[in-house]
Structure formats: structure tokens, C-alpha cells
Amino acid sequence: MAGPRVVIIGAGVVGAALADEISARGWTEVTVVDQGPLPATGGSSSHAPGLVFQTNPSKTMTEMARYTVEKFCSLEVDGKPCFLQVGGLEVATSPERLAELHRRHGWITAWGVEARLLTPDECVEQHPLVDRDKVLGGLLIPTDGLAKAVLAVEAQIRRATERGVRFLARHEVLDVRQDEGRVTGVLTDRGEIPADVVVCCAGIWGPKIARMVGMDLPLTPLAHQLAWTGPIPTLAGQAEEAVRPILRHQDADLYYRDRFDAIGIGYYGHRPMPVSADDILSVDEAEQMPSVLKFTEEDFEDAWAETRSLLPATREAKIEEGINGLFSFTPDGYPLLGESPDVKGFWVAEAVWVTHSAGVGRAVAEWLVDGYCSSFDLHECDVNRFEPHQLAPEYVLARDCQNFVEVYDILHPLQPTGEPRPIRTSPFYARQREMGAFFLEAGGWERPQWYESNAYLVEGRSIPTPNDWAARYWSPIVGAEAQATRETVALYDMTALKRLEVSGPGAAAFLEHLCTGKVDKSVGSVTYTLLLERDGGIRSDITVAKLARELFQIGANGNLDLDWFTRHLPADGSVQVRDITSGTCCVGLWGPLARKVLQPLTEDDFSGAGLKYFRAKRAHIGSVPVTAMRLSYVGELGWELYTTADLGQKLWDTLWAAAEPLGGVVAGRGAFNSLRLEKGYRSFGTDMTYEHDPYEAGVGFAVKLDKEDFVGKAALERRKADVRRKLSCLTIDDPRAVVLGKEPVYDGDRAVGYVTSAAYGYTIGKGIAYAWLPAELATPGTTVHIGYFDQRVEAVVAEEPLFDPTMSRLRG
């Protein structure tokens, strides 16, 4: 099949990879246009230093890098290789960085890539230029290396051309044509090219191209310094381009690579240097190439001093050339992949570095041809993941610059984001500040992690202090709040969870088609259900509350759920989807005394019979109208109470005035996470993602295969009989051995899985870690070990849930 007419804008390392991958899948009516010459088009690919380090806290990004390595190793141009597999070495010059290298070793091991921790002597054996007295240790990944980006572009252009793909150099894109919300072609300075699909792979020019269809792309080009030494006497006579591993000295924001008898030095320690995509020079105007700016020597002074300290041989050389090269940065550091929410057929594959380029090409090719990506979990990369405020120019610039500064920083999983803050606050924010809330950010929302006003609760309780790393952004108050929730009652701010409203005469049928469970039940029903991709992978877990015959409220996970619903809307206008999050708020009132707090405040019946478990109804709490849902993700009696934002503070005050005399507390996200893990509740995006199916993830109960049909049903019926891995509950006896997630799990010396969520269980008195394990090891009683920095933590597979398996507290 020739496939639809596709125009790819940009023939750099991403555009070339996509053209190769998509034509290999049978779509050959493809045209690639670029404003520059081929294969060195003048974008970031043309000056990229080519270092490919596969280690990444994201499993998806590591897998994309691994595919890029594998593919580039197989490519050559006229006998010249496209990848020099010299290995990658990261060195530590501080105790903190050495600990971080152990953590990074955990990531790369968990994701299935060979890696080895080195002693200082072994570091010098691998890279003899390194000063033995400066380093404390290292991390070696033998399969890392140098990508020859321009050669890789040429190799993939040749392969795609053989299949019929056209490459048009020196074609500047002036506009993306569209009609009735669908792309129809691309206008260049040499004429118009008809298209059914347009994919923007324009890199640093991406925001400019995206604006042609009214799309705000949260991407900032930032300059990054790269310098080359002159000949280094110690390296005289080196005939091969690279013989030593590529090297990272992250304590000083530096990396290094060979170039025969010289060394290339990359530096992230300088001030951010953002550039507007509109201000980048054209190919003909640029002195060298558009993506290369003049080298600013003053910004490189510290880098050169540190280089001569770490690599003493460079003291005999000078810096002979340098550039400030432009690369793309995003607010969260991940690529931008996917289709515009407003213009059908306009896709982006942006903010992709050489390291992940072939993987992204494969991912987007699968997505286009098959309708979904089967090779990688793309929920972190989908361009539609952002909330509206995250597309504001001020926000994008601030966060992109921050990500540049933090490229090599040691970042804690809970580390607070930087400016601008605060952005989104719930109606309870003023009260929370009065109570000494310690806030972290979630989707722009200020969300309490714990409350200093609860410090008195710690006295007399046995709350173990975790290890130093886990104790960051933690307080013993977290444990006290968790225990108090189980003892009395607590108020939780649940406003940050996205809420959608689905309405219209076709709403019920629409939701039945998308959801794995039966949601078109009686008014007042609440259903926990899943959204699946066509291959049976979990796109999200949601709650669906039927509030009226044609009105449903959805408890969603994020903007991708809104995007998913919107893309599946019927063309006849019978269904409307609306994001109601900003205009509403939610209090979780949970604990054994929850009914004693709530019932005196209302004339509505909140007895067990008056509002059963997983039922909803409209009611009044004092003078506040609410939608009450009888469900709880902390495993205790209680309700989620929703009202409009203008009445939120009144609802909070009303509930708190009734709860405080009964010994009630306010509680934060730290306690919430501990309690939900004790109850075995999954978190989408952490415990389960697109790559997992319901039966592996332990949420098969949310699937009703006796339904007539739903998206993903056919694939799920095939997958049900072949469960090879399971999300398993592990318990840890050592109270200080609290892990945080993404650590490898070992069966003996063999890495067999990885941790997803973890916390200390303050009710059960054990550490808890959920982890993906081979099915044969997911048997209660099995002992495994978790790799935590330089330790092995013993853990045991446990029956779940760990707390209240009979559900008596929830249903009371």
C-alpha cells in the first residue's frame, strides 16, 4: 500500500528516521521538505556532538535510546559507520554524585541495559586522561557511544528514497494549508504539496511551524556550549576518531568526547540563553548554520578551568574553536509527539535529541500507520499532556530555562518545581497556609504534602525515620496524619484531580464504547473502569458517576483523558465533553468517624443504606450544595464531596468545624500515598501505563468482557490468557529501607523487574513497594531484593490488600 499523502517538515535526524520507519511500514507516498541542504540541513542535528547516553529515569526514554543505538549500529554510508560504540562513562567527584551514580545504575539495570559501577582505578583504565585523584567512582554503559548524526541522516534518507520517498532540499515552508479543521497541504517557496498528513519535525523551528495551524508548542531553543581543543600532545598519533568512552562529569555540568587527537567539551553550567524560533536566521543568512551562534568565551571560563583539573592532559592544549549550538527544551524535559487537538492530520515529533531520534521515528511511524504505538509507552511524550497554563509563553520560557539549568542536577523524585509558583490554588489554599501546609505541585496545583499544625500528633507515636534520601521532603507528621486518618477522620484536598463532564443524548453509549466496565446504570451509580488502547493497553483508569439520565461526571487522570474523549466524540454532536476542574473543588472526608462529622450537617441520609458504597447523590452540607460520592482511595469510610469553587472555602470551614471537636485532622498527600498503597490502589502513570494490560496490573475486575463491545476488547481477550508479568505487592521489614520508585528488583543476581510506587505503611508497620515481576515470581511468600543505591533491600511478595481485605471499613 502507498498509504496517505504524507509531508514531513524537517529532514534532520528525526525527520529522516520517520521517513525511513514509515516507508518501511508501507507508506511510501511521502515527501520530506527542508529549508536547508541535505544531509546537513543546518538544524540541531547538523552540529550535535552525537553523545548517546542511554541512562534515563524514564523507561520509555531509555528504550528509545536503546533502539537508536541498535539501529545506528546497523547503518553505514559508503562503508563509514553511523555509530561508534565506545561506551559511556559517568564519573563522580563528590559523595553525593557517587550515590547518584548508584541510583542511575539502578535505573539502567531496571530498564534492561547492561551497566557496571567502577572504582576510581577502573575509571582511569577506561579513560586514561581522567585524574585518578579527582574521581570517587564511575558508571559504565558499554553500549553507549557516538552517533554520527549527519551520516545517520544520510543513511536513512537513502533507505527511504529506495522505497519511493521524496526529499526536497531548499524548500522553505511558508504555510500549512487546512480546510474545515483538516490539513490539505504544505505551501513552500517553490509551490504547494498536497497532503493528508503533515508531520512537523522542524526542531528548533517547531513553534513557528506549529503556529501555522494555531498550535502552541511548549518548546524553547536554548544555546548550549560546545568547544574543541587543539591537538593534545598525549593523544598525538591517534588514528581513530574515538577510542575512549564518551565521558560525563555531571558535578560540573560537563561532557567530553574524542575527536582524534583533540577533545570536544560540552557545557551546561552557563546561564540559560533562550532564543525565539522567529529570530533564528535562515540558512542563507547564517554565517555557519542557523542553529549555531557565536561562541561566548566568557561563559566557558569555568568549564575550561574544570576540564584542565579533571583531564590534566588538556593543560597542554588550547580551545581552538567553539559554538553556542541551539537545542530544544520543554517544560518537563520530554519530547512532544502526537496529533494537534484541533487540526486533524497535523502531527508533531519535536524536542527530540539525537539520542532518542530513531526510537521516536519508530514510535510515530507505528502511531500513524497502526493508530497506536506498540513499541513504547508514550504517555510522558504525548504533546496533548499539558494543561492550558503550561502553554503560556511565560511559563514555557521559565520552565524550559530551568530544565536547561537542571540537565545534570541530582533531582529528588519529590523535588519542588521552580517558578512560576503558585499558579493554581484550590479554594482551601488560604486555610491550608494558616495550618502550615508544606506544598508540592501537581499539574500546577499547590497540593499539601503535610501540615505543620499537626506536629502535636507525632508525640507518643512510633513513626520510624526513613533513610536520608527518602527523608527529603518528608516529615514524621506524614505518618501521624496517616495513623490519625485510620483512628478518627481527616480532610483531604482532592481538587487537583481532573474532573470532566460528559453529557448529551449519546453520552451513555459513548462511554460504554470507551470504558471496560458497565457505566450506563441507574442514576447515582459510580463505576471504577478503564480506558484502553486498541491493543488492550491501559490508557487510564477513571471513575464514572451517572448524575442524571444524560449527565456523567468523570474522575480522570489528566489532560490526555480529555484529549482521548474529545477525539472519540461522535460527529453528530450528541455528546459534549467539558473540563470542569477549575470551576469545582473536592474534599475527601475519610475515616471511621466520617459519618459522625457529616450526618449532623445535613438533612440528607448518609447512612450505609442512604448512600451505599460506590453511589453518588446531590445533597446539602450546611448551606453548601454538593455532589457526594461514596468512595475512598485511602481505604476508609467516607465521601468525596464536590462543590463549585466559589463555595469551596465554606465547605471546608463547615466540615472542619464539625471534625475538629471529634479529634479530626487535615492530612496531605504523603499520608494519602501511604494509605492507598496499604489498600493496594493503583496509580495510573506510575503503577500502570499504556504498556500494561488490566490482568497484568491487577485491575481485571474493572473489565466486563460480557459487554457487547468496547475499545480494546478484542485485543484484551487475546492477552488475558497470556499473563507473563504481574504488578506485585512487596513488603519490607526494615523501617529505614523506604524506597521511592524505579529501583530494580533482583531474583538472586538477576534483575527481573522494577519498583513503581513505594511508601512506608504506618498502619501495618512495614515498608511497601509495588513492583513489576515475572508471573512465576509473583507468588506470596517469594523473597526478592530491591536495588537501592549501593544496597540490596530484602522484600517479600505479599497478599493484597495489606489492609482491610474484607472491605468492612469501607462499607461500614
Side-chain angles (χ1 to χ4, degrees):
M1 64 172 182
R5 298 169 299 177
V6 179
V7 174
I8 299 172
I9 301 174
V13 74
V14 179
L18 176 57
D20 179 38
E21 296 282 343
I22 202 171
S23 60
R25 286 163 175 77
W27 282 19
T28 56
E29 197 168 341
V30 178
T31 302
V32 184
V33 298
D34 199 291
Q35 63 184 339
L38 298 177
T41 62
S44 300
S45 304
S46 302
H47 70 74
L51 288 80
V52 175
F53 285 94
Q54 297 166 84
T55 308
N56 196 289
S58 164
K59 182 172 181 281
T60 295
M61 298 301 283
T62 293
E63 289 173 340
M64 286 180 170
R66 180 167 54 192
Y67 179 76
T68 300
V69 167
E70 292 170 356
K71 183 176 183 180
F72 282 13
C73 281
S74 71
L75 298 177
E76 63 174 34
V77 175
D78 301 332
K80 293 178 287 187
C82 293
F83 195 79
L84 306 179
Q85 201 159 41
V86 293
L89 175 64
E90 302 181 22
V91 294
T93 59
S94 67
E96 295 78 14
R97 183 64 62 177
L98 185 61
E100 172 73 356
L101 291 189
H102 281 91
R103 188 166 73 118
R104 296 174 68 79
H105 179 258
W107 295 340
I108 201 72
T109 302
W111 311 147
V113 178
E114 179 190 356
R116 185 159 59 95
L117 289 160
L118 304 184
T119 65
D121 287 337
E122 290 172 324
C123 290
V124 176
E125 288 176 14
Q126 292 290 328
H127 203 297
L129 298 189
V130 170
D131 185 344
R132 162 65 177 78
D133 295 332
K134 288 279 292 184
V135 298
L136 303 179
L139 174 63
L140 177 70
I141 294 85
T143 52
D144 285 349
L146 284 167
K148 307 290 290 181
V150 175
L151 277 181
V153 168
E154 186 172 357
Q156 292 174 102
I157 285 176
R158 289 185 181 186
R159 285 164 41 135
T161 301
E162 290 175 357
R163 303 186 192 107
V165 175
R166 289 194 308 160
F167 286 82
L168 303 179
R170 294 285 185 174
H171 280 62
E172 181 183 358
V173 173
L174 303 178
D175 195 15
V176 177
R177 300 296 201 194
Q178 54 180 302
D179 182 51
E180 296 184 353
R182 179 174 290 278
V183 297
T184 60
V186 172
L187 179 64
T188 77
D189 58 351
R190 300 193 183 190
E192 186 167 339
I193 306 168
D196 305 302
V197 175
V198 174
V199 188
C200 178
C201 303
I204 53 178
W205 291 277
K208 185 176 180 180
I209 300 297
R211 279 200 306 272
M212 295 176 182
V213 296
M215 186 177 185
D216 294 321
L217 206 61
L219 181 158
T220 303
L222 281 114
H224 158 59
Q225 290 198 302
L226 176 66
W228 296 94
T229 69
I232 297 173
T234 305
L235 305 183
Q238 181 173 316
E240 295 181 60
E241 179 178 350
V243 297
R244 283 165 291 277
I246 54 175
L247 177 67
R248 277 206 281 209
H249 175 26
Q250 291 170 289
D251 280 324
D253 297 303
L254 287 161
Y255 64 76
Y256 304 95
R257 57 151 295 177
D258 287 11
R259 190 174 72 178
F260 301 103
D261 62 352
I263 295 289
I265 307 167
Y267 186 43
Y268 286 104
H270 55 79
R271 61 192 168 89
M273 305 177 193
V275 176
S276 169
D278 296 318
D279 294 335
I280 300 172
L281 298 177
S282 69
V283 173
D284 294 326
E285 291 173 323
E287 183 177 333
Q288 184 173 350
M289 64 179 75
S291 61
V292 169
L293 307 182
K294 184 180 178 181
F295 187 63
T296 50
E297 293 183 13
E298 64 276 13
D299 290 302
F300 198 72
E301 290 177 357
D302 290 344
W304 183 225
E306 183 61 31
T307 296
R308 286 177 290 176
S309 175
L310 182 71
L311 309 177
T314 61
R315 297 170 189 167
E316 303 178 68
K318 296 180 179 180
I319 297 296
E320 291 203 346
E321 57 180 299
I323 63 170
N324 286 3
L326 294 177
F327 288 94
S328 300
F329 284 79
T330 62
D332 57 8
Y334 290 107
L336 307 173
L337 313 179
E339 188 180 21
S340 161
D342 302 312
V343 180
K344 296 294 183 185
F346 184 81
W347 290 66
V348 299
E350 290 289 351
V352 182
W353 293 6
V354 172
T355 299
H356 309 102
S357 58
V360 165
R362 179 176 184 173
V364 176
E366 289 179 355
W367 201 348
L368 284 165
V369 175
D370 302 329
Y372 61 91
C373 176
S374 58
S375 294
F376 309 102
D377 162 33
L378 296 182
H379 85 276
E380 295 170 316
C381 306
D382 193 316
V383 69
N384 296 296
R385 65 190 180 268
F386 297 101
E387 296 291 327
H389 75 274
Q390 294 173 314
L391 300 176
E394 178 187 58
Y395 179 95
V396 172
L397 179 60
R399 290 295 167 90
D400 290 359
C401 288
Q402 179 183 338
N403 278 328
F404 176 88
V405 170
E406 294 178 346
V407 161
Y408 283 172
D409 285 2
I410 298 171
L411 300 176
H412 192 276
L414 294 179
Q415 186 160 322
T417 55
E419 297 299 325
R421 279 184 70 187
I423 296 178
R424 308 173 83 182
T425 57
S426 79
F428 323 133
Y429 182 64
R431 297 293 185 257
Q432 292 164 345
R433 292 187 64 186
E434 292 168 3
M435 294 175 166
F438 179 83
F439 292 100
L440 297 179
E441 186 196 49
W445 292 98
E446 295 296 319
R447 187 166 66 181
Q449 192 74 359
W450 69 82
Y451 293 84
E452 288 296 332
S453 62
N454 288 328
Y456 73 95
L457 288 171
V458 176
E459 186 176 350
R461 297 179 183 273
S462 177
I463 298 172
T465 300
N467 58 81
D468 291 345
W469 183 250
R472 297 188 187 185
Y473 311 110
W474 174 87
S475 165
I477 297 171
V478 168
E481 291 176 357
Q483 292 178 355
T485 302
R486 298 250 188 258
E487 296 162 358
T488 56
V489 64
L491 275 66
Y492 287 83
D493 181 359
M494 304 302 291
T495 302
L497 300 180
K498 184 172 279 291
R499 294 170 291 285
L500 308 176
E501 184 181 271
V502 179
S503 60
F510 170 73
L511 290 171
E512 285 290 346
H513 173 63
L514 294 179
C515 296
T516 61
K518 296 179 180 179
V519 298
D520 187 17
K521 299 183 286 193
S522 61
V523 172
S525 64
V526 182
T527 306
Y528 174 80
T529 185
L530 307 172
L531 304 176
L532 302 183
E533 188 52 89
R534 283 188 286 174
D535 66 350
I538 301 170
R539 281 200 64 97
S540 190
D541 64 335
I542 62 174
T543 55
V544 179
K546 186 173 183 179
L547 302 182
R549 188 169 63 88
E550 297 181 356
L551 177 65
F552 297 81
Q553 181 171 310
I554 312 298
N557 281 300
N559 213 56
L560 290 180
D561 292 342
L562 174 60
D563 183 67
W564 185 252
F565 282 129
T566 302
R567 291 184 187 280
H568 286 83
L569 284 173
D572 61 6
S574 62
V575 183
Q576 294 80 46
V577 177
R578 189 165 66 98
D579 186 349
I580 62 171
T581 310
S582 60
T584 57
C585 58
C586 178
V587 178
L589 180 69
W590 296 313
L593 302 184
R595 188 171 285 121
K596 289 186 178 180
V597 171
L598 194 63
Q599 190 59 76
L601 301 175
T602 179
E603 296 180 0
D604 294 279
D605 185 2
F606 278 87
S607 67
L611 186 60
K612 295 180 179 179
Y613 186 55
F614 263 77
R615 297 286 299 179
K617 71 177 179 181
R618 302 281 175 78
H620 286 85
I621 307 302
S623 58
V624 180
V626 301
T627 298
M629 298 186 193
R630 175 97 186 271
L631 51 115
S632 163
Y633 279 82
V634 302
E636 293 291 339
L637 168 68
W639 304 268
E640 291 181 357
L641 302 170
Y642 299 88
T643 192
T644 52
D646 59 324
L647 293 169
Q649 185 169 296
K650 180 63 175 176
L651 175 63
W652 180 275
D653 290 345
T654 301
L655 293 171
W656 180 238
E660 187 179 23
L662 297 177
V665 300
V666 293
R669 190 69 180 183
F672 178 91
N673 194 51
S674 171
L675 297 171
R676 72 126 180 136
L677 287 177
E678 288 184 332
K679 196 62 183 155
Y681 292 138
R682 278 61 169 149
S683 173
F684 177 79
T686 304
D687 299 316
M688 54 191 186
T689 65
Y690 295 1
E691 66 177 304
H692 306 116
D693 72 47
Y695 304 108
E696 298 170 329
V699 289
F701 64 88
V703 177
K704 305 303 179 187
L705 288 176
D706 58 344
K707 283 180 61 173
E708 182 177 346
D709 194 22
F710 55 83
V711 173
K713 180 182 178 184
L716 205 56
E717 288 174 326
R718 295 190 297 270
R719 294 177 70 156
K720 184 179 181 181
D722 188 28
V723 176
R724 302 183 183 183
R725 58 184 174 179
K726 288 187 176 181
L727 184 62
S728 306
C729 177
L730 309 179
T731 57
I732 302 165
D733 287 336
D734 184 350
R736 282 187 53 79
V738 176
V739 301
L740 295 180
K742 301 188 178 182
E743 297 88 359
V745 180
Y746 294 91
D747 177 32
D749 292 330
R750 181 174 61 109
V752 293
Y754 58 92
V755 174
T756 58
S757 296
Y760 190 79
Y762 298 99
T763 311
I764 66 167
K766 290 178 182 287
I768 306 168
Y770 271 78
W772 282 100
L773 296 178
E776 64 270 17
L777 294 178
T779 303
T782 301
T783 297
V784 293
H785 289 83
I786 299 170
Y788 188 63
F789 291 91
D790 59 348
Q791 306 168 28
R792 292 289 179 91
V793 176
E794 184 175 288
V796 178
V797 179
E799 293 275 5
E800 57 173 327
L802 299 170
F803 177 78
D804 189 27
T806 64
M807 304 283 280
S808 59
R809 294 173 73 100
L810 273 171
R811 298 179 184 276

